[in-house]
Amino acid sequence: MPYLEDDPSPIKRKKILVVEGKDEINFFDALLRHMDIKDFDIRKIGGKDQFPKKLPALLKARGFYLADGSSFVTHLAIIRDRDEDDAFESITTIVTKAGLKSPTKHSEFSNGSPKVGIFIMPGETIDGTMLEDLCLKTVENHKAMTCVNEYASCISALEPNPKNIPKAKVQVFKAQVFLAAQPEIVDSVGLGAQKKYWDFESHALDELKEFLIKLK
């Protein structure tokens, strides 16, 4: 599945998936191939703070609109981390300001042209704020997770130990430890997806898959 990053390359496919970074590119490339969803461009925005600038710029890329002003792109799927702000409202505001019709609900698509869908990671049914939370949920019953959790607990009990470590950093740490336990070590959750270390058949992915299947 071809993808393009945050560049002004011409739009050549009718369905575009917009993500934050390289990890997400690798993860969604692997997941979409697993789901047999094809003919996509995956475009990297470069982090949540870049959406206000980079999303409108994407709409100006050559090929997004036809000569008559109609949209060549039929579907624009936007995926970003929840983090600590109101992620859904933030993206809908940017989409509306860019002149597109925003969806009214998470994981749904608008009936505009193009149809715009927004998914906030890791989804409404999974605790957490980012891709790592979702990946770890898919392998929560993997035998290596016992070691991962014990190691994380051991580290946190060391003296002197860091205080008030954000949960997000703990999840990133756990994901890295899990990947270090695999046959061929990789250093990011996206590459872990390419190696099929995350369980793409896990029910933890059901909500995300239901969103992506609408693009078939």
Side-chain angles (χ1 to χ4, degrees), residues 78 80-82 85-95 102-108 116-120 124:
I78 302 169
R80 64 150 282 190
D81 288 346
R82 181 179 297 133
D85 58 347
D86 191 335
F88 180 78
E89 183 177 340
S90 173
I91 295 297
T92 56
T93 298
I94 295 168
V95 168
S102 295
T104 58
K105 295 180 180 180
H106 174 262
S107 193
E108 296 291 340
V116 178
I118 300 171
F119 191 94
I120 305 302
E124 294 183 332

Side-chain angles (χ1 to χ4, degrees), residues 148-186:
V148 170
N149 291 325
E150 288 178 354
Y151 184 57
S153 297
C154 179
I155 293 297
S156 65
L158 291 176
E159 295 291 346
N161 65 313
K163 302 297 183 182
N164 301 319
I165 303 175
K167 182 181 178 182
K169 287 189 176 181
V170 174
Q171 293 299 85
V172 171
F173 169 75
K174 285 185 176 182
Q176 291 296 321
V177 174
F178 177 83
L179 292 172
Q182 303 312 305
E184 182 179 343
I185 297 175
V186 294

Side-chain angles (χ1 to χ4, degrees), residues 21-211:
K22 191 62 177 286
D23 251 356
E24 286 81 5
I25 285 178
N26 285 324
F27 177 85
F28 281 99
D29 172 66
L31 179 59
L32 290 168
R33 283 189 283 109
H34 178 81
M35 295 174 66
D36 197 31
I37 298 178
K38 303 173 182 176
D39 199 27
F40 271 83
D41 274 346
I42 304 179
R43 299 243 175 174
K44 182 184 74 172
I45 289 293
K48 69 171 187 175
D49 294 335
Q50 295 299 311
F51 274 99
K53 176 183 177 181
K54 296 289 183 65
L55 189 59
L58 174 62
L59 307 188
K60 296 178 181 178
R62 185 157 53 90
F64 196 101
Y65 289 104
L66 300 173
D68 63 4
S70 62
S71 179
F72 168 74
V73 174
T74 60
H75 294 76
L76 180 64
I78 302 169
I79 297 178
R80 64 150 282 190
D81 288 346
R82 181 179 297 133
D83 293 331
E84 300 301 327
D85 58 347
D86 191 335
F88 180 78
E89 183 177 340
S90 173
I91 295 297
T92 56
T93 298
I94 295 168
V95 168
T96 301
K97 285 184 177 180
L100 301 181
K101 187 170 184 178
S102 295
T104 58
K105 295 180 180 180
H106 174 262
S107 193
E108 296 291 340
F109 280 80
S110 69
N111 59 1
S113 180
K115 299 179 188 299
V116 178
I118 300 171
F119 191 94
I120 305 302
M121 295 289 281
E124 294 183 332
T125 61
I126 304 294
D127 289 335
T129 61
M130 57 188 179
L131 176 60
E132 283 83 355
D133 293 298
L134 184 58
C135 290
L136 287 169
K137 188 67 175 178
T138 71
V139 294
E140 63 180 350
N141 295 319
H142 191 288
K143 59 184 180 181
M145 284 306 297
T146 299
C147 302
V148 170
N149 291 325
E150 288 178 354
Y151 184 57
S153 297
C154 179
I155 293 297
S156 65
L158 291 176
E159 295 291 346
N161 65 313
K163 302 297 183 182
N164 301 319
I165 303 175
K167 182 181 178 182
K169 287 189 176 181
V170 174
Q171 293 299 85
V172 171
F173 169 75
K174 285 185 176 182
Q176 291 296 321
V177 174
F178 177 83
L179 292 172
Q182 303 312 305
E184 182 179 343
I185 297 175
V186 294
D187 61 1
S188 70
V189 292
L191 292 178
Q194 293 286 323
K195 291 290 185 181
K196 301 181 180 180
Y197 293 154
W198 311 117
D199 183 4
F200 285 159
E201 292 301 315
S202 168
H203 288 301
L205 292 173
D206 286 352
E207 185 185 4
L208 179 57
K209 286 182 176 180
E210 287 175 8
F211 174 71

